[in-house]
Amino acid sequence: MGTVTRRHLTDLPSTPGLLSALLLATVLAALSFGLPALDRGVSAQRGLRAGEPYRVAAGVTVVPPAGATLDVTGTRPGEDRGTALFRLGRVRYAIAVQPFSGDLTQAAVRLRQRITGTSGYQVTGTQLAVSTAGGLAGLQGGYTAGDRGGRYAVFVAHGLTIEVTVSGAGLDLDHTLPAIDASTRTLRYEGGR
Amino acid sequence: MSEAVRPGIPRPATPLRLPAFWVVVTLLATGAVRMSQILARFLESYPLATITALGLFALLAVPFWLFVQELDFLEREPAGLLAVAFAWGGLVATSVSIPGSTALENLIAKLGSPGLAADWGAALAGPTVEEIAKTLGVVAIVLIARSQVNSVLDGVVYGALVGLGFQIVEDIVFAIGAVALAGQGDEIQPVITTFLVRGFLAGVWSHTLFGALAGAGIGYLVVGTDRGWCRRITMAGLALSGAWASHVLWNSPLFREGLGNGAVALLAVLVFKGLPPLLLILHLVRRAHDREAEYYVARLAGLGDPEVITEGELRALGSGSRRAAARRHAAERAGRKARATVRRLQRAQARLAVELSRAPELADRHQAEVREHRATLRALGHPEAVEGIHSWRHTASAVGTAAVAIAVLWVALSALGGA
């Protein structure tokens, strides 16, 4: 048996050249840059019917503010947990529902720590009690992140925690907060998980 | 039947002159920068949890790496290439998959619905981007060191290591994600839970396995030269599709409802969604291993020299479990030194087999090495590296270890199911 040459090993082209490697890099670029570009090219906003309750998840509903759109990239409905993301102009209004076995104080501590766990985010002011028209009791407060402001609210009911976070630039936030606060007060647990 | 192995060239050229090598180096460096930025953010926000995750998941890589090394016993792949495969999985495939999978899941929500994305987004987006990015790691190995991929098993080995690198880094990212989600500050409990769920319970049927299957396809594409291009490309595509389908099944919402939340339900999900691909892929890997082993053992058998290898040793060398049994037998009969010498003899015999397949005229050095180890074994009173009679102690030890593992698994399942 003689010495084996490259040609014996495989019938692939004799020199795996720059072209093959660039093709490989192109496929990677398509995955890491092309897909996000395509994603950005397709609108994420969906219109909502004014005044109609939106089912977030796990039997929790909310009436979104007038003029709000649903951002489907941050919305994931579910039987036992889920999220909804609304946008009012440049203000972000997010609601997250998930199973929770603690009390309201623990839920508030958890949410505050998650907010402050993000680099540059600070909780401001004191927490205030808040309640909804559907009888959910909660706590709310504020936070800042650079030139952006934010509000949070948390409710605990029926083995669930409902976390509300609102963020946007100062002026935008001031304009939309009354409508968002009114929307938050429509949060309701309707059961039927 | 086609040859299982296409022998490599005796002294492969350095890859430094290949443009592909520098493209791969650039991609690895870019991935390293990207993942370092993520790691730095983790360390800044959750230093204790991040260090714990790094330590635990690095430990988890050890048994997987050892398993792959044992698969790779006969014709060992260069350590540098194994490291490149692991790094590709951990640095390139992950940094590509993070934006790619997110974008694809968003597109599923936009073009389908948020409900579809909630149920099937993770099942479809992750596997689609990740399996392609990982498989390209084996393609990269072929581009920079084609002469090292000379059997389907080599593709399995590189694919498994790409998958292992991806799995370890992804697990660390998930663990720190769990810490952030828990909102308890820099706590390690979510890291431990993630380690138990993703490392212990889900680790076996994860990226290492999927990567091995896709890698087998690339191995076949490269070495199956007696088949037409159409068949080879089809087989490589089928292997990638199999890896994708296994991944989709694992991530899918199937069986999520209706079985409750207890330990039995969790076990049922693991068995129904994880076991079929696991058994199928292990069967394919075993076949690839056995075909490669047959090829190399036949090279040694052709020598007809019992000083180099005896009939009993030929039988033992082709199987990982029999090689281990031969080492245990040596330890029982002649002590630890004999065990170590048997391992060295087996390694020398494997090196000789590979050299015989590539350049028989250069095999004298390896023959001398084998004879040297044989002489040592003879001096220790254990001249032949063969399996002993099956001992009840080994069986009892194996059964005991399995019982303890099942008990630990059950406790973990109960704790997690009840959580």
Side-chain angles (χ1 to χ4, degrees):
Chain A
M1 189 171 157
T3 301
V4 180
T5 66
R6 270 179 192 274
R7 179 52 66 187
H8 289 106
L9 173 62
T10 178
D11 55 358
L12 288 177
S14 58
T15 306
L18 189 60
L19 194 65
S20 314
L22 290 179
L23 189 64
L24 178 134
T26 305
V27 177
L28 288 174
L31 293 174
S32 57
F33 302 115
L35 278 175
L38 190 62
D39 175 29
R40 285 191 296 275
V42 180
S43 170
Q45 313 302 315
R46 299 285 179 275
L48 292 160
R49 287 191 188 156
E52 233 175 65
Y54 181 85
R55 196 174 183 88
V56 180
V60 173
T61 64
V62 67
V63 178
T69 56
L70 182 73
D71 185 332
V72 294
T73 62
T75 301
R76 296 288 180 270
E79 290 298 311
D80 63 344
R81 68 184 65 224
T83 57
L85 176 60
F86 305 104
R87 292 195 185 269
L88 277 102
R90 287 181 295 175
V91 173
R92 190 178 182 278
Y93 171 32
I95 301 171
V97 179
Q98 57 186 305
F100 186 65
S101 55
D103 59 21
L104 182 59
T105 310
Q106 289 170 320
V109 168
R110 197 171 80 147
L111 180 56
R112 284 165 70 102
Q113 284 194 334
R114 265 218 321 277
I115 291 168
T116 54
T118 307
S119 183
Y121 280 63
Q122 286 179 320
V123 171
T124 56
T126 52
Q127 280 190 148
L128 300 170
V130 61
S131 62
T132 70
L136 300 177
L139 291 168
Q140 68 175 5
Y143 64 91
T144 60
D147 59 346
R148 287 174 72 82
R151 298 286 186 279
Y152 70 84
V154 60
F155 304 88
V156 173
H158 307 282
L160 297 169
T161 174
I162 305 163
E163 296 175 346
V164 178
T165 49
V166 183
S167 61
L171 208 56
D172 295 328
L173 204 56
D174 289 346
H175 286 146
T176 52
L177 262 183
I180 290 174
D181 282 343
S183 166
T184 304
R185 283 195 293 275
T186 66
L187 274 168
R188 182 184 294 273
Y189 175 74
E190 295 188 345
R193 274 200 257 176
Chain B
M1 196 154 86
S2 63
E3 285 281 40
V5 174
R6 299 280 155 190
I9 51 176
R11 298 288 172 265
T14 170
L16 297 176
R17 284 183 294 139
L18 295 174
F21 174 78
W22 295 106
V23 172
V24 170
V25 167
T26 306
L27 290 169
L28 286 171
T30 309
V33 169
R34 177 76 190 109
M35 295 315 290
S36 302
Q37 288 168 339
I38 293 175
L39 182 65
R41 273 212 317 271
F42 287 169
L43 281 168
E44 187 190 344
S45 302
Y46 308 106
L48 180 64
T50 305
I51 289 166
T52 307
L54 285 171
L56 281 178
F57 287 107
L59 279 178
L60 182 70
V62 173
F64 281 96
W65 190 288
L66 291 177
F67 179 76
V68 175
Q69 286 256 298
E70 193 56 41
L71 262 186
D72 191 33
F73 186 88
L74 286 169
E75 190 253 315
R76 300 188 84 83
E77 301 309 310
L81 283 182
L82 297 179
V84 167
F86 185 84
W88 182 282
L91 303 174
V92 179
T94 44
S95 50
V96 164
S97 295
I98 290 170
S101 301
T102 306
L104 193 53
E105 191 174 334
N106 284 345
L107 284 167
I108 291 170
K110 290 173 179 177
L111 302 175
S113 69
L116 179 68
D119 287 338
W120 285 94
L124 296 174
T128 303
V129 176
E130 291 166 10
E131 292 310 322
I132 293 172
K134 285 185 294 174
T135 306
L136 289 177
V138 188
V139 174
I141 295 289
V142 174
L143 290 179
I144 63 175
R146 194 182 53 189
S147 64
Q148 295 296 342
V149 182
N150 36 39
S151 69
V152 173
L153 187 66
D154 290 351
V156 167
V157 167
Y158 288 120
L161 281 173
V162 171
L164 180 60
F166 188 95
Q167 183 175 333
I168 297 303
V169 172
E170 186 192 54
D171 284 348
I172 291 168
V173 172
F174 269 81
I176 303 307
V179 173
L181 196 65
Q184 305 290 319
D186 189 15
E187 291 288 325
I188 63 166
Q189 199 267 335
V191 175
I192 308 272
T193 306
T194 308
F195 178 71
L196 285 174
V197 174
R198 293 188 64 86
F200 254 82
L201 302 182
V204 178
W205 20 65
S206 189
H207 293 282
T208 308
L209 199 68
F210 309 145
L213 180 56
I218 301 298
Y220 185 83
L221 178 70
V222 174
V223 302
T225 52
D226 52 342
R227 308 282 187 182
W229 272 106
C230 186
R231 182 188 165 99
R232 286 154 65 188
I233 290 170
T234 303
M235 293 301 282
L238 279 175
L240 177 58
S241 304
W244 177 84
S246 303
H247 197 168
V248 168
L249 175 66
W250 181 247
N251 282 11
S252 76
L254 300 175
F255 307 113
R256 202 180 281 164
E257 307 293 337
L259 290 169
N261 291 316
V264 175
L266 190 50
L267 189 62
V269 167
L270 291 174
V271 168
F272 287 132
K273 289 165 73 170
L275 207 54
L278 176 73
L279 294 178
L280 175 70
I281 296 171
L282 284 183
H283 171 71
L284 292 173
V285 168
R286 175 80 186 261
R287 273 197 64 187
H289 173 271
D290 288 353
R291 289 201 67 200
E292 188 191 85
E294 266 174 37
Y295 175 88
Y296 285 117
V297 166
R299 306 278 84 75
L300 291 169
L303 292 174
D305 183 352
E307 268 300 297
V308 174
I309 191 160
T310 67
E311 282 296 322
E313 286 172 349
L314 282 171
R315 186 170 175 273
L317 195 66
S319 150
S321 60
R322 291 199 203 107
R323 285 194 299 269
R327 294 195 288 267
R328 275 198 307 276
H329 182 52
E332 283 161 9
R333 278 196 63 198
R336 290 172 64 180
K337 194 175 176 198
R339 179 195 190 104
T341 308
V342 165
R343 173 170 267 278
R344 283 195 282 270
L345 175 75
Q346 289 172 339
R347 284 211 182 287
Q349 287 168 333
R351 279 193 290 271
L352 173 60
V354 172
E355 200 64 61
L356 285 170
S357 74
R358 292 179 176 178
E361 67 277 11
L362 301 176
D364 289 351
R365 180 166 60 93
H366 296 290
Q367 285 214 27
E369 191 187 358
V370 170
R371 288 176 205 284
E372 191 184 314
H373 295 312
R374 175 79 64 204
T376 309
L377 270 185
R378 196 166 278 133
L380 291 166
H382 183 73
E384 197 180 7
V386 291
E387 307 162 76
I389 298 164
H390 203 68
S391 93
W392 66 268
R393 274 171 55 196
H394 175 63
T395 308
S397 161
V399 170
T401 306
V404 169
I406 290 169
V408 168
L409 187 67
W410 194 257
V411 169
L413 282 168
S414 301
L416 294 167

